[in-house]
Amino acid sequence: MSETKAAFDAARHLDAMAPALGLTITEEQRPGVLQFLGVAHLMSEILRATPLDDASFELAPVFRPGRTSDGEPA
């Protein structure tokens, strides 16, 4: 039997995650936040569908701040 994937509910996600992250979203902000959550979800679906070879993963270099050529902090 195949499992049916529940549709992404941006409003439900926002209502659950905003308090968990300590965010206050006003009624004025809510439509824009919901729009961008929907866009983010669609982008994540594209990435999830991309086949990746586990052997191709390697760690990215680590940024370590230093000084510029004139000796000032970076």
Side-chain angles (χ1 to χ4, degrees):
M1 183 173 170
S2 66
E3 292 183 31
T4 304
K5 186 177 176 184
F8 177 70
D9 184 343
R12 186 172 173 204
H13 185 76
L14 176 59
D15 293 340
M17 294 307 298
L21 296 170
L23 300 175
T24 301
I25 307 298
T26 66
E27 288 304 314
E28 194 174 68
Q29 296 167 327
R30 191 173 175 85
V33 173
L34 291 174
Q35 178 183 1
F36 284 103
L37 279 175
V39 170
H41 172 70
L42 292 174
M43 292 169 56
S44 73
E45 290 299 309
I46 292 169
L47 291 174
R48 279 160 119 336
T50 303
L52 297 173
D53 178 16
D54 288 340
S56 69
F57 291 116
E58 62 182 68
L59 297 175
V62 175
F63 172 74
R64 291 187 175 86
R67 300 202 174 266
T68 61
S69 59
D70 63 359
E72 292 296 316

